[in-house]
Amino acid sequence: MTKEKFQIEYVFQNISFNVLWNSISTPMGLADWFADKVDVDGRLYTFTWGDHGQQAELVLLHGGSFIRFHWLEDESEKTYFELKISVDELTSAVALVITDFAEPDEKRDAILLWNKQIEDLKRSAGI
């Protein structure tokens, strides 16, 4: 079954751009909310949850804007997950736009998982 691309946008109140960027782009920041532990070896990231580890390659990094990873176990080279910061020019609201891929029957669960992880991100950022 082919995975479908989806996007979710989370708007944050009272968070600085730098705090959010560090939370999505550094191993320590990612370990605060995304995984229990994050190890980096060059472009290879190992995300660990409990006893389970999963590896992803850093595909793109645009400093201060977005970071994109590809899970190594994904058969399709076209799939990725991306964390992108967007700032509204009129309101200065900071948003995190997540792009991910899931099989159609797993999309709802993937969104619920992202919602839970974003709650963890907010908690770790103190908002």
Side-chain angles (χ1 to χ4, degrees):
M1 190 175 293
T2 303
K3 291 185 176 186
E4 296 178 352
K5 181 178 175 180
F6 66 93
Q7 285 189 326
I8 318 165
E9 182 174 329
Y10 300 94
V11 178
F12 293 87
Q13 303 299 325
N14 303 321
I15 191 169
S16 79
F17 179 89
N18 289 336
V19 167
L20 185 55
W21 177 248
N22 287 333
S23 295
I24 69 169
S25 66
T26 66
M28 189 168 61
L30 288 164
D32 283 342
W33 67 278
F34 185 72
D36 297 334
K37 182 179 175 187
V38 179
D39 294 308
V40 180
D41 183 8
R43 297 181 72 80
L44 183 64
Y45 283 62
T46 302
F47 298 96
T48 305
W49 297 269
D51 293 336
H52 174 73
Q54 195 170 352
Q55 293 186 316
E57 177 185 6
L58 174 63
V59 178
L60 288 172
L61 173 67
H62 190 277
S65 179
F66 71 88
I67 188 166
R68 182 182 292 180
F69 298 95
H70 170 72
W71 293 116
L72 295 184
E73 68 183 29
D74 250 346
E75 293 176 12
S76 173
E77 292 295 319
K78 295 180 181 181
T79 61
Y80 58 88
F81 72 97
E82 179 179 276
L83 309 169
K84 181 178 182 179
I85 299 175
S86 172
V87 180
D88 185 288
E89 292 181 16
L90 294 176
T91 65
S92 297
V94 178
L96 180 62
V97 180
I98 299 188
T99 303
D100 200 356
F101 289 76
E103 293 183 9
D105 60 340
E106 295 177 354
K107 181 178 173 183
R108 183 177 175 276
D109 290 338
I111 291 171
L112 290 173
L113 179 59
W114 278 115
N115 289 343
K116 186 311 189 180
Q117 289 178 302
I118 295 303
E119 287 304 315
D120 292 346
L121 171 59
K122 288 179 179 179
R123 196 170 18 266
S124 76
I127 56 172

